[in-house]
Amino acid sequence: MAMMNFFEYAGRPFVGILEEFGRVMLLFLSAAVWAFRPPFRLRQVFKQMEAVGVNSLPVVLITAVSSGMVLALQSYYGFRMFGGESLVGATVALSMTREIGPVFTALMVTGRAGSAMAAEIGTMRVKEQIDALYAMSVNPVQFLVMPRVLAGMVTLPVLTVVSDFIGIVGGYFVGGQLLGINSGVFMARIYEMLDLNDIFNGLIKAVCFGLILSVVSCYKGFYTTGGAEGVGRAATQAVVISTVSIFISDFFLTAVMF
Amino acid sequence: MIRLAGVTKSFGSQRVLNALDLEIPSEEITVILGRSGSGKSVILKHIIGLMTPDSGKIYINDKDITRLNERELNEVRKQFGMLFQDAALFDSMTVGENVAFPLVEHTRLPKKEIQRIVEEKLRQVGLPGVAEKMPSELSGGMRKRAGLARAIALDPKIILFDEPITGLDPIMSDAIDDLIVNTQRQTRATCVVISHDIASTFKIAHNIAMLYEGQIIEFGSPEAIRNSSHPFIRQFIKREAPGWNAGP
Ligand SMILES: Nc1ncnc2c1ncn2[C@@H]1O[C@H](COP(=O)(O)OP(=O)(O)OP(=O)(O)O)[C@@H](O)[C@H]1O
Ligand SMILES: [Mg+2]
């Protein structure tokens, strides 16, 4: 009996997580279905693409250029020990396209746009604006969730490509200009080692991350309770859960793809 | 006609509506009176299908909306206009876009015509020239009136008003009362109004429903309510009936 209670007690959080995962999936499926039903809400979609894509660009650029530069520096110190400095460029390029580009971009967008999604939709929930949508025969999943999820899935790969490129430029600047690696060799090694598949797989990751962060953030906003305090909680949880989910899924995507 | 039959609704252990029966006649103004927290807003949310009863049925024109799927419910809701207690304007849109919203969603009217209707409705609620403002730039009473303009934008067959004049000054309250009466007269809409204001209620109501402890304890013409002998109603209407303890 006591044993039973122990398992019940220990298992409860796990069941809770599964349950919540199921509800997130349901919201995603519902958004997916609504994406194919008229009206298509193109205005909302473009508005969200601007909110997610354009507005996140500055932080994504800063993150990308500094991580590219740091990568070049760090790998230079390592490779110098056995005279492999020429590999710095390829290292930066591979790390950026496979990992740093998609993951850091997703994390930045989560902080910038994911929290905003949760807060906006959460505010609409607690101020009865979602009820008002229902009352006016407008489905809030189609009007609010679908455009954000679509925007997340479309803009993340675009931001990631930019991030990849800027990261490599940062690495080139540090390697070629500051550390004195021959820039021709630097580039040649990148061409030699970097496969189009590396970029492509990185973009698949980006689409998945965009999906995860937007669905999770919309979910947290959509089921907000408890007034202004609840909105704050929803925004925080959206960031935390999105971040953790991005890291977990990154591991599995990497295991499958590379 | 709107009919609630045996509607029961609890939140946790708190029973808000208790086997409530209510018939709201078509093409008339029915005012629901009751104390703060007695469940008036909850009744409106049941009528438009935003809440589902734990038990009981809700008929809109003889169709039980508790059994409809979302698509069917949406069709029913297209006859409705609703003013929420806190207006529920969309923060991300201008006031004009808010009022235009039901028109954009459910009509194929040209932009010009929509704009004309928006201007007209805003003028009717005493808010000319605020179309370009954001809801956050308005006062509470102005937001409420903008919400009212949105609720009547489509000239709906059924209009639900959750406390349309609460928070307005006496002159504006009077104007909004007139607007409700005139709108109802012109469009022959069925109006359900929630109110706390006795004078306004007697001015606009064709019927009054008294909500008390989860049930409609009396329904009738303003005259009948005025002459009611129920101690709660007497206290509520005339602030008299000494010795009557109105509860918590
Ligand atoms: N979504 C909800 N969850 C939990 N309890 C609720 C919910 N909505 C309403 N209630 C409870 O139901 C009761 C009735 O609420 P309602 O909003 O209908 O009151 P009201 O009659 O409109 O009051 P007021 O005149 O102050 O607006 C309240 O005690 C409230 O706490
Ligand atoms: Mg209320």
Side-chain angles (χ1 to χ4, degrees):
Chain A
M1 204 49 212
M3 206 56 196
M4 200 57 217
N5 279 341
F6 171 76
F7 279 118
E8 233 182 88
Y9 186 74
R12 199 171 297 144
F14 186 66
V15 173
I17 289 174
L18 270 186
E19 229 178 86
E20 187 150 30
F21 179 74
R23 284 201 298 266
V24 173
M25 283 308 289
L26 277 182
L27 185 68
F28 166 64
L29 289 179
S30 160
V33 170
W34 277 108
F36 295 101
R37 281 197 214 164
F40 294 109
R41 309 279 176 208
L42 287 181
R43 237 188 89 180
Q44 300 300 317
V45 173
F46 285 126
K47 206 170 129 186
Q48 289 308 320
M49 281 166 63
E50 189 187 337
V52 179
V54 180
N55 296 345
S56 306
L57 198 56
V59 288
V60 167
L61 290 183
I62 292 170
T63 316
V65 75
S66 41
S67 35
M69 289 166 73
V70 169
L71 266 175
L73 263 183
Q74 290 285 16
S75 52
Y76 174 77
Y77 293 132
F79 284 130
R80 195 178 49 179
M81 286 190 257
F82 53 87
E85 290 97 330
S86 67
L87 283 170
V88 166
T91 307
V92 172
L94 282 176
S95 320
M96 280 311 295
T97 53
R98 288 181 167 198
E99 282 300 328
I100 309 285
V103 172
F104 277 26
T105 303
L107 294 183
M108 287 300 127
V109 174
T110 301
R112 183 79 170 66
S115 57
M117 288 180 193
E120 276 166 25
I121 298 180
T123 305
M124 294 190 68
R125 166 64 76 189
V126 301
K127 289 171 84 179
E128 294 190 320
Q129 294 167 28
I130 289 184
D131 279 346
L133 282 173
Y134 278 121
M136 289 187 275
S137 310
V138 172
N139 185 286
V141 173
Q142 186 187 36
F143 192 76
L144 300 173
V145 178
M146 184 275 287
R148 286 171 169 80
V149 174
L150 203 57
M153 292 173 71
V154 172
T155 49
L156 255 281
V158 177
L159 287 172
T160 300
V161 167
V162 176
S163 163
D164 290 351
F165 177 73
I166 294 295
I168 294 172
V169 169
Y172 178 85
F173 174 74
V174 169
Q177 307 301 313
L178 298 187
L179 303 173
I181 302 169
N182 183 304
S183 43
V185 173
F186 188 97
M187 289 313 292
R189 280 304 176 90
I190 292 184
Y191 284 128
E192 200 180 305
M193 312 266 292
L194 184 68
D195 200 58
L196 254 189
N197 259 341
D198 293 317
I199 302 176
F200 187 70
N201 287 343
L203 296 189
I204 292 179
K205 279 185 177 182
V207 175
C208 295
F209 297 159
L211 173 76
I212 290 170
L213 77 90
S214 53
V215 173
V216 168
S217 303
C218 289
Y219 168 83
K220 276 293 159 194
F222 205 74
Y223 295 102
T224 300
T225 53
E229 200 188 328
V231 173
R233 203 165 41 229
T236 311
Q237 288 184 350
V239 171
V240 173
I241 297 177
S242 299
T243 307
V244 173
S245 311
I246 286 168
F247 280 124
I248 293 175
S249 61
D250 183 44
F251 175 80
F252 288 106
L253 287 168
T254 308
V256 170
M257 290 194 302
F258 295 105
Chain B
M1 189 187 59
I2 302 168
R3 188 157 67 88
L4 288 79
V7 170
T8 297
K9 180 72 175 179
S10 303
F11 296 104
S13 62
Q14 178 198 12
R15 177 162 289 194
V16 177
L17 304 182
N18 189 7
L20 176 140
D21 293 312
L22 172 62
E23 245 186 76
I24 295 166
S26 295
E27 307 194 357
E28 289 183 1
I29 298 175
T30 300
V31 177
I32 300 176
L33 291 178
R35 301 188 62 190
S36 181
S38 58
K40 304 182 297 298
S41 299
V42 169
I43 292 181
L44 284 199
K45 286 180 188 166
H46 276 83
I47 293 176
I48 199 167
L50 291 173
M51 288 181 177
T52 43
D54 300 334
S55 64
K57 300 189 184 320
I58 295 157
Y59 298 94
I60 308 292
N61 300 328
D62 294 321
K63 196 182 271 183
D64 179 8
I65 62 163
T66 59
R67 313 168 139 268
L68 301 183
N69 64 31
E70 203 198 315
R71 188 172 301 199
E72 295 165 322
L73 193 55
N74 272 337
E75 282 311 305
V76 175
R77 280 176 181 152
K78 281 181 188 165
Q79 316 167 44
F80 277 92
M82 177 162 180
L83 165 64
F84 283 80
Q85 188 161 355
D86 295 317
L89 297 175
F90 303 123
D91 295 322
S92 58
M93 302 179 195
T94 65
V95 173
E97 286 167 339
N98 265 286
V99 179
F101 189 80
L103 298 161
V104 172
E105 287 296 322
H106 299 303
T107 70
R108 297 186 170 280
L109 295 174
K111 255 200 174 108
K112 271 256 159 58
E113 177 65 8
I114 289 182
Q115 208 168 350
R116 192 193 60 76
I117 298 174
V118 169
E119 299 278 316
E120 180 194 317
K121 300 292 175 189
L122 282 175
R123 194 158 27 78
Q124 283 179 357
V125 298
L127 291 175
V130 302
E132 300 303 318
K133 292 204 176 191
M134 300 305 284
S136 57
E137 298 172 289
L138 303 187
S139 74
M142 289 164 85
R143 273 201 292 277
K144 181 145 252 174
R145 286 181 279 149
L148 186 65
R150 185 176 71 181
I152 60 175
L154 271 176
D155 290 331
K157 294 308 300 167
I158 304 169
I159 319 178
L160 311 179
F161 302 95
D162 199 339
E163 306 197 6
I165 62 166
T166 303
L168 304 187
D169 65 68
I171 298 168
M172 193 43 78
S173 299
D174 237 29
I176 296 299
D177 281 344
D178 289 340
L179 174 68
I180 292 173
V181 168
N182 290 333
T183 305
Q184 195 278 333
R185 228 175 253 155
Q186 278 162 25
T187 63
R188 313 291 322 150
T190 305
C191 295
V192 187
V193 184
I194 288 175
S195 182
H196 282 298
D197 190 304
I198 305 299
S200 142
T201 298
F202 280 103
K203 188 173 144 200
I204 66 175
H206 299 122
N207 319 286
I208 297 174
M210 289 292 315
L211 175 66
Y212 181 65
E213 297 198 330
Q215 299 190 318
I216 300 296
I217 52 166
E218 197 142 332
F219 180 95
S221 66
E223 206 48 37
I225 296 292
R226 209 192 297 271
N227 295 327
S228 167
S229 59
H230 194 291
F232 170 70
I233 297 177
R234 287 171 66 88
Q235 187 184 35
F236 199 99
I237 306 284
K238 298 175 186 161
R239 301 187 180 165
E240 57 176 39
W244 167 256
N245 183 352

